[in-house]
Each structure stands twice: as structure tokens, then as C-alpha cells.
Amino acid sequence: MDETSISRKLDLSEAKAKYDEYAKSLLSEKIILAHILARCVSEYKGMKPEDIVPLIEGQPEISTVHLYPGETNKRTQNPEITGMNTEDSVPNEKKVVYDIHFYAYTPDEKGKVKIILDVEAQKKYHTGHDFVTRGFFYTSRMTSAQLGKEFEDPDFNSLKKVISIWICMDSPKYAENTITRYHITPEHIVGQFPTEKVRYDLMEVIMVCLSKKLSKEKDPGNLHRMLGTLLSSTMPAAQRKKVLEQEYHIPMTRIMMERSDLMCNLSEAILEDGWREGRAKGHAEGRAEGRAEGRAEGRAEGVDEGIEKLTQLNQFLLNDGRMEDLVRAVTDPAYRDNLLKEYHL
């Protein structure tokens, strides 16, 4: 592998990391989180997002709260964040961080009720593990981490509810434009044991599966269209700004616009690099095909077809937010062929 190839891989890796960083930053805006809570969390049902914003405590933390035992209540030094997103680690275990970790309150007839939330942004749906299962691991950690912070043993009645919300961008067809809540409910096997909901309704995992194509339903409650617009890597900035401000009353601040534009620029850079690799492969495949058939037209046709297929694949992967697949497809022919089959190219 030459130096140029190594450099390109490092550049792509850095671009992908920056892309993720800007995407999480956009999602961590309070007004965006308020829209997510209004549509997904029962405690905020019927509330306007702008009325939920004041209930979000402090500044949500991005990739700074540890997930594993022993580290959850520590903070990573970062002057831009003061919320709850950190990394957890124990010996012999890899470090893991919550994407966006924060506290929120919900008005209740008995006063304000505190909830601890985590929002995870997932570009790849098929990762080899189930997000629901992983979500319950995250909520379990958010629950146990409260000991010594939110309550002291044996005051378990002070345990706070925890919710893990997963935003899936690369959803399969059968899951597109869905929101699913997994939570604890009692089952009375013999008789009726009276239990207050507040005593068992303490853990939820919520799956928000976006569509590969932007939803056309223009409705202030259409969370999928709002998130699809916010996280789009191809929609022009002016159009994105228009949809978010006019349909969802989300003011696009200068910082939000800058982050959004940077996401698009990074996407274009990654696409261009992938297209360059695809073009070279297309030429090679076209020449080989032409020689095999012994016809000049066969060679030209193979070049064009190879370039077109790989360019389409790069665009599909970019639109679907599958940055890891795009990077891997550049250097792994077998993996690239599987992706071509997946998209029927």
C-alpha cells in the first residue's frame, strides 16, 4: 500500500469522525431534542417542543459520559459542554460513550419529575447486534450509575426513570418511518397487586427508524421528515433551512448552519474520493471486458457501466448515511460487490 493510499484512508477516517461529530452536535440542540421528546416520550405527549426546551437541564453532553462501571460519573474536560455525555471503562473492556446524554424534567401534578435520557445516532442498522438489546444495556447502566449520585442506598424510591432513544438512519424497508417503544409493564398472573406506575415505569428503549428517502408528509408532528432534513448530506442548505424553519419553527442559528454545511462538505469530499476509486476500477473492469470480447465497443461500454454503477453505489451509501460502508467499499472489492448486489446495481 503506497503512502498516498494510506494518507487517503487517514483523511477519510478523519472526515468520517468529523461528520459524526457535527451530526451529534446538530441532534444535541435543545429544540431538536424537544421535538424528539414531544413525539417519542409519553411524558411530553401533547406538549409543544418550544414548551419542552426549558425543561431540558443545562447543556446536553456529547460523547463525554462513560458507559461502563467506574467511570460513568466522571467528566471529560470540554469547555463547550456541561451536560452528561461521557465514556465508561473497566480493565480489559473497551471504552464506550453515550452519544448525547442529558437530564430533563416533566411537569407533574406532584411537581417536576426528573428523567435521564440518552440519544444515539446510528448510521448503520445492520451491525451484528440488536439495538434494542444494546439499548437496554445502556439504560441498565444509566440506572445503576445513579447510586451515590441521584440516591443513596437504601433510598431506591428516589431512582430516576431512564430512556435510551435510538435514531436509525440506515433502516431496512420494513422498519422505515416507524417509532417503537419498549418498556416495563406489569402482568398480573394471580390476582391484582396494586402498584403505582411510578414504581415500575423506570426504563424505556425507543427506536426511531428513518426512511432512506425524505418523507413527503408535511406535518409539524412528522419527526421522520424533520430528522431526515436535519441530517441530510445532499439537500442544499437553503432548502434545509426553509423546511426546518417554516414547517417545524426551528430557527437555524449560525452555528447550526455552519455545522450542517460542514457535514455536506465532508460528505462531498468522501463521495469524491470514493468516486475516484470507483472510476479507476470502472476503467480497469471495462478494459478487461473489452479484451475478453475483443471489441473496442465492449471496452468502452464496460468502462461507462463500471463508472455508473460505482458512482450510483457511492451516492446511495452517502444518502443512507453509511459512511463506514463507503470507506470500506473503496478498498475491499468483495465487500463492494456485496453492496452492489444489495442495491441491485
Side-chain angles (χ1 to χ4, degrees):
M1 182 180 294
D2 60 24
E3 184 178 351
T4 303
S5 179
I6 294 174
S7 177
R8 183 181 299 120
K9 278 194 169 183
L10 291 174
D11 291 343
L12 281 173
S13 178
E14 182 179 357
K16 176 185 174 297
K18 286 292 185 182
Y19 183 95
D20 291 347
E21 177 187 333
Y22 293 132
K24 292 176 186 177
S25 295
L26 287 172
L27 283 171
S28 71
E29 291 285 337
K30 285 190 176 182
I31 185 60
I32 301 299
L33 292 175
H35 273 268
I36 294 173
L37 297 182
R39 190 68 180 85
C40 298
V41 180
S42 59
E43 282 82 355
Y44 303 97
K45 185 176 181 180
M47 293 185 65
K48 295 180 179 179
E50 54 268 32
D51 294 333
I52 298 175
V53 170
L55 299 175
I56 298 176
E57 184 182 59
Q59 182 63 34
E61 292 184 341
I62 307 170
S63 301
T64 57
V65 176
H66 295 260
L67 173 61
Y68 287 151
E71 298 290 329
T72 302
N73 294 330
K74 293 183 179 180
R75 290 289 184 274
T76 296
Q77 296 300 318
N78 188 327
E80 296 181 355
I81 51 181
T82 57
M84 287 185 56
N85 194 281
T86 328
E87 184 179 340
D88 276 346
S89 64
V90 293
N92 302 318
E93 291 191 24
K94 68 177 182 179
K95 292 184 178 181
V96 177
V97 298
Y98 298 107
D99 278 358
I100 304 166
H101 205 46
F102 63 102
Y103 293 114
Y105 291 92
T106 177
D108 183 85
E109 59 183 15
K110 297 179 181 179
K112 286 186 175 181
V113 177
K114 188 175 185 180
I115 302 177
I116 302 174
L117 300 107
D118 156 52
V119 173
E120 298 289 324
Q122 295 295 313
K123 293 187 302 298
K124 289 186 64 177
Y125 187 89
H126 299 289
T127 60
H129 62 260
D130 190 291
F131 288 133
V132 176
T133 305
R134 185 175 171 186
F136 275 112
F137 174 74
Y138 279 37
T139 53
S140 297
R141 283 298 305 127
M142 287 192 289
T143 299
S144 62
Q146 294 180 50
L147 181 61
K149 182 176 173 60
E150 298 294 332
F151 75 96
E152 296 291 344
D153 187 7
D155 184 24
F156 289 95
N157 284 351
S158 295
L159 194 67
K160 305 298 186 295
K161 182 172 182 176
V162 297
I163 301 176
S164 185
I165 303 174
W166 293 70
I167 311 295
C168 299
M169 307 173 203
D170 177 32
S171 306
K173 281 287 185 182
Y174 61 81
E176 288 181 348
N177 293 321
T178 60
I179 300 176
T180 308
R181 179 167 63 110
Y182 302 87
H183 59 120
I184 299 172
T185 58
E187 179 184 358
H188 300 287
I189 299 175
V190 178
Q192 295 284 331
F193 182 80
T195 307
E196 286 185 282
K197 185 177 181 180
V198 68
R199 291 290 163 254
Y200 62 80
D201 184 29
L202 293 172
M203 187 180 295
E204 289 185 6
V205 175
I206 298 173
M207 296 282 293
V208 180
C209 295
L210 306 183
S211 172
K212 291 181 174 63
K213 294 182 179 180
L214 185 66
S215 173
K216 295 181 180 180
E217 182 184 350
K218 297 182 179 180
D219 182 336
N222 189 341
L223 180 64
H224 295 92
R225 178 173 170 83
M226 188 276 284
L227 290 176
T229 300
L230 180 75
L231 300 173
S232 174
S233 57
T234 57
M235 183 183 293
Q239 183 182 352
R240 200 162 52 247
K241 184 175 185 290
K242 180 179 179 181
V243 171
L244 292 173
E245 289 187 342
Q246 293 186 3
E247 295 183 25
Y248 298 95
H249 309 294
I250 297 175
M252 288 292 284
T253 64
R254 178 182 59 81
I255 293 177
M256 289 177 69
M257 286 298 295
E258 288 177 354
R259 289 170 177 167
S260 184
D261 288 343
L262 284 168
M263 277 178 57
C264 289
N265 293 338
L266 287 168
S267 298
E268 290 174 2
I270 293 170
L271 175 61
E272 173 63 25
D273 194 279
W275 182 86
R276 190 183 300 112
E277 293 283 345
R279 185 172 184 272
K281 182 175 184 293
H283 276 295
E285 291 179 345
R287 286 195 298 271
E289 182 179 333
R291 285 195 299 271
E293 296 183 4
R295 299 194 310 268
E297 58 269 25
R299 182 165 58 250
E301 184 178 321
V303 171
D304 293 338
E305 184 178 355
I307 293 174
E308 182 180 359
K309 284 184 178 181
L310 290 169
T311 301
Q312 286 180 342
L313 176 63
N314 291 338
Q315 188 63 58
F316 284 145
L317 292 174
L318 184 60
N319 289 344
D320 293 346
R322 300 175 63 173
M323 295 302 169
E324 294 179 2
D325 289 327
L326 179 56
V327 173
R328 182 175 173 182
V330 170
T331 56
D332 189 335
Y335 192 71
R336 183 166 57 237
D337 289 342
N338 287 334
L339 290 172
L340 286 167
K341 291 178 182 178
E342 179 182 339
Y343 283 95
H344 304 290
L345 295 174

